[in-house]
Amino acid sequence: MWVVLLEDGIEFYKKKSDNSPKGMIPLKGSTLTSSCQDFAKRMFVFKITTTKQQDHFFQASFLEERDAWVKDIKRAIKCIEGGQKFARKSTRRSIRLPETIDLGALYLSMRDTERGIKELNLEKDKKVFNHCFTGSCVIDWLVSNKSIRNRQEGLMIASSLLNEGYLQPAGDLSKNAADGIAENPFLDNPDAFYYFPDSGFFCEENSSDDDVILKEEFRGVIIKQGCLLKQGHRRKNWKVRKFVLREDPAYLHYYDPAGGEDPLGAVHLRGCVVTSVESNPDGRKSDEENLFEIITADEVHYFLQAATPKERTEWIKAIQVASRTGK
C-alpha cells in the first residue's frame, strides 16, 4: 500500500498513482504500539489502535523506516492532543538540496580522522559530553571544506544530515531544536552539541538528561548494530531485539526495538565463544534459520537468529573480533 500521513489521520492507497484512498485511519485518540509482537514471524511491525478499538497493522521494510514512521505518527498524535498543527520535517521534501550534494559522501568526509570534524569532550551545566562537537563547528567545517557558499546554506545541509541520522543532538538545546521547538532543526550555536551516531558518545554526571550513561560497559565504540531474534532463557520464546555491539570494553547490549534508552540486558563478550548452530535449542533442524550461539566466559548460552546467512556471518565475525579486544 502507498501510505500518506496527514495532520489528523493516515490515508492508504492501493498504489501511489491512485487518486482516491482505499481507506483512512483517524489519529485523534489513537494509540501506537511498536514494536508489535502479534506476528512472531514478521519483523518491523507497528500497530495503530483507534478510539473504536480497531487495530491496523503496518510492516516496514527495515528498522530505520519503521522508526521514522513511528516517530512521525507519534508527533502527529501529540500535536492533535495539544491542539497544534503537525508538519513533518522531511529532508527531501521540505529541504531542497543541491544536486551536487551527496549526504553519505559528506558524512564520510566529516568522519575523516585527519581532515574531518574533531570530536571533543565539552562541558556544560556540570556535565561532560564526550566524543561530540558544536553546531558552530559543523558549519565552520562545511565553510572551510568549500561544501557550501554561506552559513545559511550550511544550516540547510546540516539540517539534512540531522534529519537523515548522520548527526545526533546531544543536550537539551540541540534536542529541542531537533524536535521542532526552534525555527531550524539544526543550530549554528557554540552551545548546541552534536555527535556521530557510531562515535561512542556518552555524557558524564548525574542529571535528567537522556544522554547520561555512567556505566563503563557503555563507553566502547559501536562497531555494529541491528535487529535479531533472541530466545528467552526462561520461557524459551523468541522476540525481536535491537542489538548494539561495542568493543573496548566488549559488550553486546540488547534493547526493545520499540524504543527506550535503557537496555533490556547485556552480554559481556570478553573471552566468549560464538558459532553458527545447525539445530535450535528445541532440537529442530535449522539449516535455513540462520541461528548462532554465544557462550560467555561464565558459560551462559545465548541463541540468536539472523535474517539471512550473510547477516549471521557478519555478526559472528564482528563478535569474534570484539571478544578478542578490550576488557
Side-chain angles (χ1 to χ4, degrees), residues 35-73:
S35 64
C36 177
Q37 303 294 336
D38 293 44
F39 304 97
K41 293 185 178 181
R42 291 186 178 271
M43 298 178 68
F44 316 131
V45 175
F46 64 91
K47 176 176 69 175
I48 298 174
T49 304
T50 66
T51 53
K52 295 182 179 181
Q53 299 304 306
Q54 293 176 326
D55 292 334
H56 300 269
F57 298 90
F58 295 87
Q59 181 181 18
S61 300
F62 48 91
L63 177 65
E64 291 78 6
E65 183 184 44
R66 186 200 65 189
D67 289 348
W69 274 100
V70 168
K71 180 180 179 181
D72 285 336
I73 294 172

Side-chain angles (χ1 to χ4, degrees), residues 171-279:
D172 293 335
L173 182 62
S174 55
K175 282 186 173 182
N176 288 338
D179 288 338
I181 295 178
E183 181 179 351
N184 197 297
F186 187 91
L187 298 177
D188 181 4
N189 189 319
D191 292 324
F193 297 164
Y194 299 90
Y195 64 95
F196 297 120
D198 55 352
S199 65
F201 165 83
F202 65 98
C203 178
E204 295 177 294
E205 187 56 64
N206 189 18
S207 76
S208 60
D209 193 283
D210 292 338
D211 296 319
V212 175
I213 299 176
L214 299 177
K215 294 183 179 179
E216 175 71 20
E217 64 192 59
F218 289 95
R219 299 193 178 189
V221 175
I222 296 175
I223 59 175
K224 187 172 178 59
Q225 55 184 316
C227 282
L228 298 167
L229 280 169
K230 174 185 176 296
Q231 186 185 52
H233 282 99
R234 294 182 180 179
R235 298 181 181 179
K236 303 299 181 183
N237 56 335
W238 293 82
K239 289 187 177 181
V240 177
R241 295 293 181 237
K242 177 183 177 181
F243 285 83
V244 178
L245 176 62
R246 292 178 171 89
E247 65 175 357
D248 196 20
Y251 275 90
L252 183 65
H253 294 92
Y254 52 94
Y255 301 76
D256 183 344
E261 298 292 332
D262 298 325
L264 300 175
V267 184
H268 190 192
L269 298 176
R270 181 64 173 169
C272 78
V273 175
V274 57
T275 181
S276 59
V277 293
E278 295 184 358
S279 61

